[in-house]
Amino acid sequence: MKITFLGTSHGVPAADRFCSCSMIEAGDAVYFIDAGAPLVESVLKAGRQVSDVRALFTTHVHGDHTAGLFHLADLVDWYYREHSMDFYVADGCLVDATKGMIVACNGGKAVHEDRVRFHVIDPSVPYEDENIKIEFIPTKHMPEPYHSYSMLVTEGDRRVLFSGDFSNRLAKADVPELLSEEPVDAFICEMAHFGVEDIKPYLDTCKAKAVYFQHVFPLVKYDGIKEISKSYDFPIYTPNDGDSFEV
Ligand SMILES: [Zn+2]
Ligand SMILES: [Zn+2]
């Protein structure tokens, strides 16, 4: 699979960074994890078509991870009428809000739910198609009754773990245990809600072949990441928007 970082900024965009958004290309399909960057423009810039987009997964409801969802869902509803796709969200409130906006845009007509398919994530039910499997691992970033997830993406024997957002200072110990238990090809991790020192114990036992820190705030943490990266056998990267890698 090929992962492209479309948005690497923290909760606020910068002149050269959109908010959280990653594009996954696997088989003949395109998937998104989070929607903090313009999705249609990004697909077209990558030389793909909106009709290639199979599904969008949002790790939690915060706007820096979901802002682009409405625009894509609305366009699939009224413009890309030959296309159908799935939207997986952490909480039903996002489904209700998005549907409400589409209905208003349509002048009161119902959403084409046979083509614009919304799902509230059930962590006991992974997403699976002929290309990839995505497992949803609850994190404690969001207070109850809301939900947030890390996501483990598998294609054949390749696996990439996306952190989503974690708890402040990692105080709720919500880094997925599998990071220390099983090798993954890449761990794509946020770095806005805790310090470099807070994640260090998890890196000490980490079995990932490579770690990518994005969603970095404050920016001075880039220096800290560079410093600690010398201590590990695996590479630690800080990708910019547009960077990509394949596993
Ligand atoms: Zn965030
Ligand atoms: Zn968040």
Side-chain angles (χ1 to χ4, degrees), residues 112-168:
H112 296 94
E113 293 195 51
D114 53 329
R115 296 189 298 101
V116 186
R117 296 181 294 265
F118 292 103
H119 312 268
V120 177
I121 291 168
D122 174 349
S124 68
V125 182
Y127 170 87
E128 196 159 11
D129 64 20
E130 75 279 19
N131 299 316
I132 61 166
K133 179 179 182 182
I134 299 189
E135 291 160 83
F136 307 106
I137 305 163
T139 70
K140 294 183 175 148
H141 177 62
M142 294 297 291
E144 287 183 8
Y146 304 105
H147 299 86
S148 51
Y149 298 97
S150 294
M151 296 187 183
L152 178 65
V153 183
T154 304
E155 181 197 34
D157 61 355
R158 301 303 157 112
R159 306 197 308 162
V160 177
L161 178 64
F162 289 80
S163 69
D165 283 0
F166 289 137
S167 57
N168 286 334

Side-chain angles (χ1 to χ4, degrees), residues 60 64-65 165 193 215:
H60 60 292
D64 54 317
H65 298 254
D165 283 0
H193 298 93
H215 210 49

Side-chain angles (χ1 to χ4, degrees), residues 44-201:
L44 299 177
K45 264 189 199 163
R48 305 295 300 252
Q49 299 300 317
V50 171
S51 55
D52 297 331
V53 181
R54 186 76 61 89
L56 161 63
F57 305 86
T58 56
T59 58
H60 60 292
V61 74
H62 283 158
D64 54 317
H65 298 254
T66 56
L69 185 150
F70 160 70
H71 195 207
L72 178 59
D74 185 46
L75 284 172
V76 173
D77 187 69
W78 75 267
Y79 184 77
Y80 297 105
R81 287 175 174 249
E82 301 297 311
H83 186 46
S84 65
M85 62 171 288
D86 295 282
F87 296 84
Y88 286 81
V89 303
D91 290 302
C93 56
L94 187 56
V95 177
D96 297 341
T98 307
K99 276 192 197 170
M101 287 168 71
I102 294 174
V103 168
C105 292
N106 284 349
K109 285 189 209 134
V111 178
H112 296 94
E113 293 195 51
D114 53 329
R115 296 189 298 101
V116 186
R117 296 181 294 265
F118 292 103
H119 312 268
V120 177
I121 291 168
D122 174 349
S124 68
V125 182
Y127 170 87
E128 196 159 11
D129 64 20
E130 75 279 19
N131 299 316
I132 61 166
K133 179 179 182 182
I134 299 189
E135 291 160 83
F136 307 106
I137 305 163
T139 70
K140 294 183 175 148
H141 177 62
M142 294 297 291
E144 287 183 8
Y146 304 105
H147 299 86
S148 51
Y149 298 97
S150 294
M151 296 187 183
L152 178 65
V153 183
T154 304
E155 181 197 34
D157 61 355
R158 301 303 157 112
R159 306 197 308 162
V160 177
L161 178 64
F162 289 80
S163 69
D165 283 0
F166 289 137
S167 57
N168 286 334
R169 302 195 61 82
L170 302 177
K172 294 182 179 170
D174 49 350
V175 176
E177 287 175 5
L178 81 90
L179 191 65
S180 62
E181 292 170 347
E182 303 164 32
V184 293
D185 293 279
F187 175 42
I188 297 172
C189 188
E190 68 121 331
M191 183 53 105
H193 298 93
F194 48 85
V196 173
E197 288 308 311
D198 299 317
I199 193 74
K200 220 171 166 302

